[in-house]
């Protein structure tokens, strides 16, 4: 653990020790998103619902904007019990809980309905529970949209159009393999460097969901947005088991119910954000392209095959999702 995490852990220990001893329990929830983000708005609904259900005996204090560190750092704080809860991408969580890798498989879900039928059903709940052995109990999934390609040099209408293009991806092996399988050149790059990289031609484009495409201002320099929706990796609301195990059975019910209600509210916030983002992009002159997604899915089949080969213990889960 690095010195930053140690200092934060000491700080929270001192805060907790100085709190007034009464019937109130404080739940510290940290995440890396800005307060304008639809997922943050969903978290506010969690806070409101939990405080109402508990009659004020469970209170939530939110630390947004990465105040307490990166997603990985906050996950480590959960594991040692310095922070109670967080929201992270399933992609980040997969480095702690292997089963979350499944949710990053390209074209795993047929559409949004299929995705949440899976996530909110037995399969999704089973994956949430897998994290408990790593001290990271999943409560619910938040909609984080679908990632699609955007470029500054030319439009992508078929997978063949990706050939020769340098596409920025997260430093995630599945994302790298997916772009390469379609003929592109996957280029891992820090998100904060991406605007300049596109502007200077270091990369030809990237991939992300509409709200991120607009909030990052990438729409200003990338005038082609291809809605191939190759991956739909959700966000996950987590609670550390060190905090969870101290709750009474009734308190655990309140926390889970509040999480489930916030997940439904967050979907509405997300859809509204997507609509607004697409409107802004169109008005700025971005060409929105609706491709034949089956062509892209066919090209990326090798990524799925390789994943199943490397993780045979997860093959049955992948098959169940496809057949649901």
């Amino acid at each position: 653990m690095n010195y930053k995490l140690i200092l934060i852990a000491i700080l929270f220990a001192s805060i907790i020790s100085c709190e007034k001893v009464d019937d109130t329990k404080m739940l510290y929830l940290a995440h890396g998103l800005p307060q304008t983000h639809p997922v943050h708005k969903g978290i506010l609904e969690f806070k409101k619902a939990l405080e109402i259900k508990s009659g004020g005996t469970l209170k939530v204090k939110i630390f947004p904007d990465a105040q307490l560190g990166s997603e990985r750092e906050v996950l480590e704080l959960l594991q040692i019990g310095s922070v109670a809860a967080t929201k992270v991408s399933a992609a980040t969580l997969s480095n702690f809980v292997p089963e979350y890798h499944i949710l990053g498989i390209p074209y795993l879900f047929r559409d949004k309905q299929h995705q949440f039928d899976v996530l909110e059903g037995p399969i999704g709940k089973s994956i949430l529970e897998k994290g408990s052995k790593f001290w990271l109990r999943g409560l619910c999934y938040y909609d984080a949209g679908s990632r699609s390609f955007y470029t500054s040099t030319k439009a992508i209408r078929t997978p063949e159009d990706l050939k020769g293009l340098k596409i920025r991806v997260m430093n995630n092996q599945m994302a790298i393999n997916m772009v390469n399988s379609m003929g592109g050149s996957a280029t891992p790059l820090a998100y904060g460097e991406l605007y300049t990289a596109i502007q200077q031609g270091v990369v030809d484009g990237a991939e992300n969901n509409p709200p991120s495409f607009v909030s990052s201002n990438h729409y200003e320099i990338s005038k082609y947005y291809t809605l191939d929706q190759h991956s739909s990796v959700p966000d996950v609301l987590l609670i550390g088991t060190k905090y969870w195990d101290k709750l009474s059975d009734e308190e655990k019910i309140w926390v889970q119910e509040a999480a489930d209600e916030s997940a439904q509210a967050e979907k509405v916030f997300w859809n509204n954000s997507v609509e607004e983002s697409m409107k802004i992009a169109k008005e700025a002159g971005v060409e929105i392209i609706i491709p034949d997604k089956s062509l892209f899915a066919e090209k990326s089949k090798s990524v799925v095959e390789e994943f199943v080969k490397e993780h045979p213990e997860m093959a049955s889960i992948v098959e169940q999702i496809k057949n649901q």
Side-chain angles (χ1 to χ4, degrees), residues 268-302:
V268 177
F269 298 138
W270 185 268
N271 288 337
N272 291 340
S273 181
V274 169
E275 289 179 9
E276 180 62 24
S277 298
M278 293 300 289
K279 179 182 177 182
I280 292 172
K282 289 176 182 177
E283 290 177 349
V286 175
E287 181 182 353
I288 307 298
I289 299 155
I290 311 295
D292 181 349
K293 291 198 291 185
S294 66
L295 300 177
F296 293 83
E298 184 64 30
K299 282 284 187 179
S300 62
K301 274 187 176 179
S302 61

mmCIF file of all heavy atoms in Angstrom, residues 268-302:
data_model
loop_
_atom_site.group_PDB
_atom_site.id
_atom_site.type_symbol
_atom_site.label_atom_id
_atom_site.label_comp_id
_atom_site.label_asym_id
_atom_site.label_seq_id
_atom_site.Cartn_x
_atom_site.Cartn_y
_atom_site.Cartn_z
ATOM 1 N N VAL A 268 -32.432 6.517 -15.541
ATOM 2 C CA VAL A 268 -33.132 7.682 -16.096
ATOM 3 C C VAL A 268 -32.150 8.830 -16.272
ATOM 4 O O VAL A 268 -32.124 9.499 -17.314
ATOM 5 C CB VAL A 268 -34.301 8.106 -15.187
ATOM 6 C CG1 VAL A 268 -34.977 9.357 -15.739
ATOM 7 C CG2 VAL A 268 -35.319 6.964 -15.054
ATOM 8 N N PHE A 269 -31.326 9.073 -15.248
ATOM 9 C CA PHE A 269 -30.314 10.133 -15.348
ATOM 10 C C PHE A 269 -29.382 9.875 -16.525
ATOM 11 O O PHE A 269 -29.011 10.798 -17.260
ATOM 12 C CB PHE A 269 -29.492 10.221 -14.057
ATOM 13 C CG PHE A 269 -30.283 10.580 -12.829
ATOM 14 C CD1 PHE A 269 -30.059 9.931 -11.618
ATOM 15 C CD2 PHE A 269 -31.250 11.577 -12.868
ATOM 16 C CE1 PHE A 269 -30.778 10.259 -10.480
ATOM 17 C CE2 PHE A 269 -31.980 11.924 -11.732
ATOM 18 C CZ PHE A 269 -31.737 11.254 -10.548
ATOM 19 N N TRP A 270 -29.003 8.605 -16.699
ATOM 20 C CA TRP A 270 -28.077 8.259 -17.785
ATOM 21 C C TRP A 270 -28.713 8.500 -19.151
ATOM 22 O O TRP A 270 -28.093 9.108 -20.033
ATOM 23 C CB TRP A 270 -27.617 6.802 -17.673
ATOM 24 C CG TRP A 270 -26.573 6.497 -18.709
ATOM 25 C CD1 TRP A 270 -26.776 5.986 -19.963
ATOM 26 C CD2 TRP A 270 -25.188 6.780 -18.616
ATOM 27 N NE1 TRP A 270 -25.595 5.921 -20.648
ATOM 28 C CE2 TRP A 270 -24.601 6.403 -19.843
ATOM 29 C CE3 TRP A 270 -24.369 7.307 -17.610
ATOM 30 C CZ2 TRP A 270 -23.233 6.535 -20.093
ATOM 31 C CZ3 TRP A 270 -23.015 7.435 -17.860
ATOM 32 C CH2 TRP A 270 -22.463 7.056 -19.084
ATOM 33 N N ASN A 271 -29.927 8.030 -19.328
ATOM 34 C CA ASN A 271 -30.603 8.217 -20.620
ATOM 35 C C ASN A 271 -30.755 9.701 -20.962
ATOM 36 O O ASN A 271 -30.574 10.098 -22.115
ATOM 37 C CB ASN A 271 -31.973 7.538 -20.596
ATOM 38 C CG ASN A 271 -31.872 6.021 -20.620
ATOM 39 O OD1 ASN A 271 -30.870 5.472 -21.074
ATOM 40 N ND2 ASN A 271 -32.892 5.345 -20.125
ATOM 41 N N ASN A 272 -31.082 10.509 -19.968
ATOM 42 C CA ASN A 272 -31.210 11.949 -20.198
ATOM 43 C C ASN A 272 -29.874 12.556 -20.611
ATOM 44 O O ASN A 272 -29.808 13.423 -21.492
ATOM 45 C CB ASN A 272 -31.719 12.648 -18.928
ATOM 46 C CG ASN A 272 -33.158 12.297 -18.602
ATOM 47 O OD1 ASN A 272 -33.904 11.836 -19.469
ATOM 48 N ND2 ASN A 272 -33.558 12.510 -17.364
ATOM 49 N N SER A 273 -28.803 12.068 -19.988
ATOM 50 C CA SER A 273 -27.469 12.572 -20.304
ATOM 51 C C SER A 273 -27.057 12.188 -21.724
ATOM 52 O O SER A 273 -26.437 12.986 -22.439
ATOM 53 C CB SER A 273 -26.448 12.025 -19.293
ATOM 54 O OG SER A 273 -25.157 12.503 -19.566
ATOM 55 N N VAL A 274 -27.401 10.973 -22.140
ATOM 56 C CA VAL A 274 -27.079 10.526 -23.496
ATOM 57 C C VAL A 274 -27.807 11.392 -24.527
ATOM 58 O O VAL A 274 -27.212 11.837 -25.515
ATOM 59 C CB VAL A 274 -27.455 9.034 -23.688
ATOM 60 C CG1 VAL A 274 -27.383 8.648 -25.177
ATOM 61 C CG2 VAL A 274 -26.516 8.149 -22.875
ATOM 62 N N GLU A 275 -29.092 11.624 -24.289
ATOM 63 C CA GLU A 275 -29.876 12.444 -25.221
ATOM 64 C C GLU A 275 -29.295 13.843 -25.359
ATOM 65 O O GLU A 275 -29.161 14.375 -26.464
ATOM 66 C CB GLU A 275 -31.331 12.507 -24.751
ATOM 67 C CG GLU A 275 -32.087 11.202 -24.912
ATOM 68 C CD GLU A 275 -33.523 11.304 -24.422
ATOM 69 O OE1 GLU A 275 -33.963 12.448 -24.127
ATOM 70 O OE2 GLU A 275 -34.197 10.263 -24.317
ATOM 71 N N GLU A 276 -28.942 14.445 -24.233
ATOM 72 C CA GLU A 276 -28.384 15.794 -24.243
ATOM 73 C C GLU A 276 -27.017 15.812 -24.943
ATOM 74 O O GLU A 276 -26.706 16.722 -25.721
ATOM 75 C CB GLU A 276 -28.257 16.312 -22.814
ATOM 76 C CG GLU A 276 -27.676 17.711 -22.691
ATOM 77 C CD GLU A 276 -28.526 18.785 -23.363
ATOM 78 O OE1 GLU A 276 -29.747 18.568 -23.537
ATOM 79 O OE2 GLU A 276 -27.968 19.844 -23.713
ATOM 80 N N SER A 277 -26.210 14.800 -24.679
ATOM 81 C CA SER A 277 -24.873 14.729 -25.278
ATOM 82 C C SER A 277 -24.944 14.569 -26.793
ATOM 83 O O SER A 277 -24.188 15.219 -27.531
ATOM 84 C CB SER A 277 -24.086 13.557 -24.672
ATOM 85 O OG SER A 277 -23.913 13.733 -23.290
ATOM 86 N N MET A 278 -25.845 13.721 -27.261
ATOM 87 C CA MET A 278 -25.983 13.507 -28.703
ATOM 88 C C MET A 278 -26.474 14.780 -29.387
ATOM 89 O O MET A 278 -26.052 15.111 -30.499
ATOM 90 C CB MET A 278 -26.945 12.352 -28.968
ATOM 91 C CG MET A 278 -26.415 10.995 -28.500
ATOM 92 S SD MET A 278 -24.861 10.522 -29.289
ATOM 93 C CE MET A 278 -25.422 10.179 -30.942
ATOM 94 N N LYS A 279 -27.344 15.503 -28.711
ATOM 95 C CA LYS A 279 -27.838 16.772 -29.263
ATOM 96 C C LYS A 279 -26.695 17.766 -29.420
ATOM 97 O O LYS A 279 -26.557 18.426 -30.468
ATOM 98 C CB LYS A 279 -28.917 17.342 -28.341
ATOM 99 C CG LYS A 279 -29.492 18.673 -28.808
ATOM 100 C CD LYS A 279 -30.520 19.206 -27.810
ATOM 101 C CE LYS A 279 -31.040 20.576 -28.244
ATOM 102 N NZ LYS A 279 -32.001 21.133 -27.250
ATOM 103 N N ILE A 280 -25.841 17.859 -28.403
ATOM 104 C CA ILE A 280 -24.703 18.784 -28.447
ATOM 105 C C ILE A 280 -23.742 18.390 -29.569
ATOM 106 O O ILE A 280 -23.260 19.253 -30.322
ATOM 107 C CB ILE A 280 -23.968 18.790 -27.091
ATOM 108 C CG1 ILE A 280 -24.859 19.432 -26.019
ATOM 109 C CG2 ILE A 280 -22.632 19.533 -27.195
ATOM 110 C CD1 ILE A 280 -24.309 19.304 -24.608
ATOM 111 N N ALA A 281 -23.465 17.097 -29.692
ATOM 112 C CA ALA A 281 -22.535 16.627 -30.720
ATOM 113 C C ALA A 281 -23.056 16.928 -32.125
ATOM 114 O O ALA A 281 -22.313 17.416 -32.992
ATOM 115 C CB ALA A 281 -22.295 15.132 -30.549
ATOM 116 N N LYS A 282 -24.346 16.671 -32.350
ATOM 117 C CA LYS A 282 -24.934 16.923 -33.664
ATOM 118 C C LYS A 282 -24.893 18.405 -34.011
ATOM 119 O O LYS A 282 -24.570 18.788 -35.142
ATOM 120 C CB LYS A 282 -26.372 16.406 -33.705
ATOM 121 C CG LYS A 282 -26.494 14.889 -33.715
ATOM 122 C CD LYS A 282 -27.957 14.460 -33.659
ATOM 123 C CE LYS A 282 -28.099 12.945 -33.613
ATOM 124 N NZ LYS A 282 -29.532 12.536 -33.484
ATOM 125 N N GLU A 283 -25.225 19.236 -33.035
ATOM 126 C CA GLU A 283 -25.228 20.680 -33.271
ATOM 127 C C GLU A 283 -23.827 21.212 -33.542
ATOM 128 O O GLU A 283 -23.659 22.261 -34.187
ATOM 129 C CB GLU A 283 -25.845 21.406 -32.077
ATOM 130 C CG GLU A 283 -27.349 21.170 -31.940
ATOM 131 C CD GLU A 283 -27.943 21.827 -30.709
ATOM 132 O OE1 GLU A 283 -27.147 22.300 -29.850
ATOM 133 O OE2 GLU A 283 -29.191 21.862 -30.593
ATOM 134 N N ALA A 284 -22.813 20.470 -33.092
ATOM 135 C CA ALA A 284 -21.423 20.879 -33.316
ATOM 136 C C ALA A 284 -20.882 20.345 -34.651
ATOM 137 O O ALA A 284 -19.713 20.550 -34.965
ATOM 138 C CB ALA A 284 -20.544 20.389 -32.171
ATOM 139 N N GLY A 285 -21.740 19.655 -35.390
ATOM 140 C CA GLY A 285 -21.324 19.177 -36.703
ATOM 141 C C GLY A 285 -20.743 17.784 -36.738
ATOM 142 O O GLY A 285 -20.161 17.361 -37.751
ATOM 143 N N VAL A 286 -20.901 17.025 -35.657
ATOM 144 C CA VAL A 286 -20.412 15.647 -35.642
ATOM 145 C C VAL A 286 -21.353 14.771 -36.467
ATOM 146 O O VAL A 286 -22.572 14.822 -36.295
ATOM 147 C CB VAL A 286 -20.319 15.101 -34.200
ATOM 148 C CG1 VAL A 286 -19.924 13.620 -34.207
ATOM 149 C CG2 VAL A 286 -19.326 15.915 -33.384
ATOM 150 N N GLU A 287 -20.780 13.964 -37.359
ATOM 151 C CA GLU A 287 -21.585 13.023 -38.147
ATOM 152 C C GLU A 287 -21.825 11.771 -37.319
ATOM 153 O O GLU A 287 -20.874 11.100 -36.899
ATOM 154 C CB GLU A 287 -20.875 12.651 -39.443
ATOM 155 C CG GLU A 287 -21.696 11.688 -40.303
ATOM 156 C CD GLU A 287 -20.994 11.252 -41.581
ATOM 157 O OE1 GLU A 287 -19.911 11.795 -41.887
ATOM 158 O OE2 GLU A 287 -21.525 10.350 -42.257
ATOM 159 N N ILE A 288 -23.068 11.463 -37.060
ATOM 160 C CA ILE A 288 -23.436 10.275 -36.289
ATOM 161 C C ILE A 288 -23.704 9.135 -37.268
ATOM 162 O O ILE A 288 -24.586 9.231 -38.126
ATOM 163 C CB ILE A 288 -24.682 10.528 -35.412
ATOM 164 C CG1 ILE A 288 -24.487 11.783 -34.546
ATOM 165 C CG2 ILE A 288 -24.978 9.308 -34.563
ATOM 166 C CD1 ILE A 288 -23.339 11.711 -33.572
ATOM 167 N N ILE A 289 -22.953 8.054 -37.119
ATOM 168 C CA ILE A 289 -23.041 6.923 -38.053
ATOM 169 C C ILE A 289 -23.633 5.716 -37.324
ATOM 170 O O ILE A 289 -23.178 5.343 -36.239
ATOM 171 C CB ILE A 289 -21.645 6.580 -38.597
ATOM 172 C CG1 ILE A 289 -21.065 7.784 -39.346
ATOM 173 C CG2 ILE A 289 -21.684 5.351 -39.500
ATOM 174 C CD1 ILE A 289 -19.570 7.814 -39.397
ATOM 175 N N ILE A 290 -24.666 5.128 -37.907
ATOM 176 C CA ILE A 290 -25.290 3.921 -37.352
ATOM 177 C C ILE A 290 -24.868 2.746 -38.244
ATOM 178 O O ILE A 290 -25.452 2.527 -39.311
ATOM 179 C CB ILE A 290 -26.828 4.026 -37.318
ATOM 180 C CG1 ILE A 290 -27.272 5.351 -36.691
ATOM 181 C CG2 ILE A 290 -27.427 2.832 -36.597
ATOM 182 C CD1 ILE A 290 -26.899 5.504 -35.239
ATOM 183 N N PRO A 291 -23.865 1.987 -37.865
ATOM 184 C CA PRO A 291 -23.356 0.911 -38.724
ATOM 185 C C PRO A 291 -24.107 -0.403 -38.510
ATOM 186 O O PRO A 291 -24.951 -0.517 -37.610
ATOM 187 C CB PRO A 291 -21.914 0.778 -38.255
ATOM 188 C CG PRO A 291 -22.024 1.010 -36.776
ATOM 189 C CD PRO A 291 -23.095 2.069 -36.610
ATOM 190 N N ASP A 292 -23.758 -1.376 -39.306
ATOM 191 C CA ASP A 292 -24.256 -2.736 -39.111
ATOM 192 C C ASP A 292 -23.370 -3.371 -38.045
ATOM 193 O O ASP A 292 -22.232 -3.765 -38.310
ATOM 194 C CB ASP A 292 -24.165 -3.526 -40.424
ATOM 195 C CG ASP A 292 -24.693 -4.950 -40.292
ATOM 196 O OD1 ASP A 292 -24.928 -5.400 -39.150
ATOM 197 O OD2 ASP A 292 -24.851 -5.616 -41.336
ATOM 198 N N LYS A 293 -23.881 -3.465 -36.816
ATOM 199 C CA LYS A 293 -23.057 -3.938 -35.701
ATOM 200 C C LYS A 293 -22.614 -5.390 -35.864
ATOM 201 O O LYS A 293 -21.583 -5.791 -35.324
ATOM 202 C CB LYS A 293 -23.821 -3.786 -34.382
ATOM 203 C CG LYS A 293 -24.015 -2.344 -33.960
ATOM 204 C CD LYS A 293 -24.354 -2.234 -32.486
ATOM 205 C CE LYS A 293 -25.721 -2.774 -32.180
ATOM 206 N NZ LYS A 293 -26.099 -2.552 -30.747
ATOM 207 N N SER A 294 -23.385 -6.167 -36.613
ATOM 208 C CA SER A 294 -23.033 -7.578 -36.773
ATOM 209 C C SER A 294 -21.683 -7.758 -37.462
ATOM 210 O O SER A 294 -20.964 -8.730 -37.210
ATOM 211 C CB SER A 294 -24.125 -8.308 -37.563
ATOM 212 O OG SER A 294 -24.197 -7.845 -38.901
ATOM 213 N N LEU A 295 -21.322 -6.815 -38.323
ATOM 214 C CA LEU A 295 -20.024 -6.892 -39.000
ATOM 215 C C LEU A 295 -18.881 -6.747 -38.001
ATOM 216 O O LEU A 295 -17.866 -7.446 -38.082
ATOM 217 C CB LEU A 295 -19.921 -5.795 -40.070
ATOM 218 C CG LEU A 295 -20.957 -5.823 -41.198
ATOM 219 C CD1 LEU A 295 -20.763 -4.623 -42.120
ATOM 220 C CD2 LEU A 295 -20.854 -7.127 -41.987
ATOM 221 N N PHE A 296 -19.048 -5.840 -37.046
ATOM 222 C CA PHE A 296 -18.032 -5.616 -36.024
ATOM 223 C C PHE A 296 -17.991 -6.787 -35.035
ATOM 224 O O PHE A 296 -16.918 -7.216 -34.607
ATOM 225 C CB PHE A 296 -18.324 -4.310 -35.275
ATOM 226 C CG PHE A 296 -18.169 -3.071 -36.109
ATOM 227 C CD1 PHE A 296 -19.192 -2.628 -36.941
ATOM 228 C CD2 PHE A 296 -16.996 -2.334 -36.076
ATOM 229 C CE1 PHE A 296 -19.060 -1.479 -37.704
ATOM 230 C CE2 PHE A 296 -16.847 -1.186 -36.835
ATOM 231 C CZ PHE A 296 -17.884 -0.759 -37.656
ATOM 232 N N ALA A 297 -19.157 -7.301 -34.697
ATOM 233 C CA ALA A 297 -19.230 -8.430 -33.770
ATOM 234 C C ALA A 297 -18.549 -9.657 -34.348
ATOM 235 O O ALA A 297 -17.854 -10.396 -33.639
ATOM 236 C CB ALA A 297 -20.691 -8.737 -33.439
ATOM 237 N N GLU A 298 -18.734 -9.866 -35.642
ATOM 238 C CA GLU A 298 -18.119 -11.020 -36.313
ATOM 239 C C GLU A 298 -16.599 -10.938 -36.247
ATOM 240 O O GLU A 298 -15.915 -11.923 -35.985
ATOM 241 C CB GLU A 298 -18.578 -11.073 -37.778
ATOM 242 C CG GLU A 298 -18.081 -12.281 -38.557
ATOM 243 C CD GLU A 298 -18.611 -13.596 -38.035
ATOM 244 O OE1 GLU A 298 -19.732 -13.622 -37.495
ATOM 245 O OE2 GLU A 298 -17.895 -14.616 -38.170
ATOM 246 N N LYS A 299 -16.064 -9.744 -36.463
ATOM 247 C CA LYS A 299 -14.614 -9.544 -36.449
ATOM 248 C C LYS A 299 -14.012 -9.778 -35.064
ATOM 249 O O LYS A 299 -12.846 -10.176 -34.946
ATOM 250 C CB LYS A 299 -14.282 -8.126 -36.911
ATOM 251 C CG LYS A 299 -14.348 -7.920 -38.413
ATOM 252 C CD LYS A 299 -13.127 -8.532 -39.089
ATOM 253 C CE LYS A 299 -13.091 -8.189 -40.564
ATOM 254 N NZ LYS A 299 -11.896 -8.757 -41.225
ATOM 255 N N SER A 300 -14.800 -9.518 -34.038
ATOM 256 C CA SER A 300 -14.267 -9.614 -32.673
ATOM 257 C C SER A 300 -14.522 -10.966 -32.016
ATOM 258 O O SER A 300 -14.236 -11.144 -30.828
ATOM 259 C CB SER A 300 -14.866 -8.499 -31.804
ATOM 260 O OG SER A 300 -16.273 -8.639 -31.705
ATOM 261 N N LYS A 301 -15.039 -11.918 -32.771
ATOM 262 C CA LYS A 301 -15.315 -13.241 -32.207
ATOM 263 C C LYS A 301 -14.061 -13.891 -31.620
ATOM 264 O O LYS A 301 -14.114 -14.620 -30.631
ATOM 265 C CB LYS A 301 -15.913 -14.158 -33.284
ATOM 266 C CG LYS A 301 -17.420 -14.049 -33.423
ATOM 267 C CD LYS A 301 -17.946 -15.095 -34.389
ATOM 268 C CE LYS A 301 -19.467 -15.058 -34.450
ATOM 269 N NZ LYS A 301 -20.005 -16.071 -35.403
ATOM 270 N N SER A 302 -12.924 -13.624 -32.249
ATOM 271 C CA SER A 302 -11.677 -14.233 -31.778
ATOM 272 C C SER A 302 -11.336 -13.792 -30.356
ATOM 273 O O SER A 302 -10.709 -14.532 -29.592
ATOM 274 C CB SER A 302 -10.522 -13.872 -32.720
ATOM 275 O OG SER A 302 -10.331 -12.466 -32.765
#
